Amino acid sequence: MPDAELPIMVARNVHKSFGPTEVLKGIDIDVHRGEVLCLVGASGSGKSTFLRCINHLETIDRGVIVVDGQLVGGTVVNGRVHEAAPADIAARRSRIGMVFQQFNLFGHLTALENVLLAPMKVRNENRGTALERAHRLLDRVGLHDRKDHYPGHLSGGQQQRVAIARALAMEPTLMLFDEPTSALDPELVGEVLDVMRDLAASGMTMVVVTHEMGFAREVATAAAFMHDGRIVEQGDPHQVITQPRDERTKTFLGRVR
């Protein structure tokens, strides 16, 4: 049994640059099992880059990120961290679900087929097992009646809910959300946030990059404010979002309220 007292995700001194531009400048943060961490901050502060580093879509230049007791993209040899084999990276990444700003569904596949694909191709599950889970997950996100529709015939909110079901189909231990409502029309935001509320209530461990301050205040169990590649304030969401101490956090929140 996993130790509930140990963080499910640990980041220490994480640095990431793109060419001469240093985007992450020493990120330190823990996420515990069942926690909902909301990352807030202005565009360009490094939030999305950090999220992509957690599941090794971006490689870090320095520091470590451990998820569920394993280095996400590395292996330790003679006391030094080296890039893990591609198969090992894929296996570790498969336990980390990610929902992007854009829905990234396969346009030639139905909603059901999009949810079925990864368990069958990545985990070699038999179709019957994967199909049963896919039906259950589409029902959970309120789209079982749209299971045979192609993405082009779904609204943006429906596509994002399919994307959430697709991520859940791999039975992740950690879910990452990168501004999942930013590409949606305002009237569609609520239906996606409702699904995320349900996930949080069920105990899913989540790291959410968002500008939806109402959602963060309501659902987050922890919050962190990022500025210029650093976490400048973190802790209880009520304190960070409602009564911030750092002047940079106060300035940002004053703009988005």
Side-chain angles (χ1 to χ4, degrees):
M1 291 287 292
D3 189 338
E5 296 302 315
L6 294 176
I8 197 170
M9 193 278 286
V10 175
R12 291 290 179 271
N13 195 34
V14 174
H15 289 254
K16 173 65 181 177
S17 296
F18 294 101
T21 304
E22 191 176 17
V23 178
L24 301 179
K25 303 176 180 179
I27 301 295
D28 291 294
I29 200 161
D30 294 348
V31 179
H32 287 81
R33 199 172 301 274
E35 194 167 64
V36 178
L37 168 67
C38 281
L39 290 175
V40 299
S43 297
S45 60
K47 307 182 305 297
S48 293
T49 296
F50 177 54
L51 217 63
R52 291 173 64 84
C53 289
I54 293 173
N55 68 353
H56 206 63
L57 289 175
E58 299 288 352
T59 58
I60 62 176
D61 301 324
R62 184 153 40 107
V64 294
I65 299 176
V66 175
V67 175
D68 221 7
Q70 292 185 310
L71 288 169
V72 176
T75 185
V76 179
V77 179
N78 296 326
R80 296 173 65 95
V81 177
H82 298 267
E83 183 81 357
D88 290 336
I89 293 173
R92 297 171 197 179
R93 185 185 287 144
S94 72
R95 303 308 302 275
I96 305 171
M98 186 157 183
V99 178
F100 300 86
Q101 296 177 30
Q102 302 298 328
F103 322 122
N104 294 339
L105 299 177
F106 292 104
H108 66 290
L109 299 179
T110 66
L112 182 65
E113 290 166 340
N114 267 281
V115 179
L116 273 174
L117 188 63
M120 293 179 62
K121 295 294 185 182
V122 177
R123 296 209 319 213
N124 295 315
E125 279 190 1
N126 69 73
R127 182 175 176 83
T129 300
L131 190 62
E132 180 183 358
R133 185 186 304 114
H135 280 293
R136 185 173 70 250
L137 288 171
L138 285 172
D139 185 59
R140 181 175 186 179
V141 300
L143 287 173
H144 195 264
D145 62 337
R146 298 288 189 270
K147 66 182 185 300
D148 296 322
H149 286 56
Y150 291 91
H153 296 145
L154 298 173
S155 71
Q158 290 170 337
Q159 289 185 61
Q160 193 63 294
R161 286 186 280 157
V162 173
I164 293 172
R166 179 181 59 181
L168 292 172
M170 292 296 286
E171 301 181 307
T173 58
L174 173 65
M175 281 285 286
L176 309 177
F177 293 85
D178 186 9
E179 296 194 34
T181 61
S182 64
L184 299 179
D185 292 333
E187 67 269 20
L188 302 177
V189 169
E191 63 190 58
V192 173
L193 294 181
D194 283 345
V195 171
M196 294 172 65
R197 288 186 184 95
D198 174 69
L199 287 178
S202 74
M204 174 63 71
T205 310
M206 300 159 59
V207 180
V208 183
V209 171
T210 185
H211 285 110
E212 299 288 343
M213 293 299 109
F215 172 83
R217 282 190 294 268
E218 176 190 351
V219 176
T221 60
F225 175 72
M226 287 187 66
H227 175 79
D228 192 28
R230 295 181 173 89
I231 292 176
V232 300
E233 190 162 3
Q234 62 177 295
D236 178 85
H238 176 76
Q239 181 265 304
V240 174
I241 298 171
T242 307
Q243 297 178 318
R245 299 187 180 99
D246 191 279
E247 288 301 321
R248 292 162 292 188
T249 316
K250 292 177 182 177
T251 299
F252 170 76
L253 292 173
R255 291 176 183 150
V256 299
R257 282 176 182 147

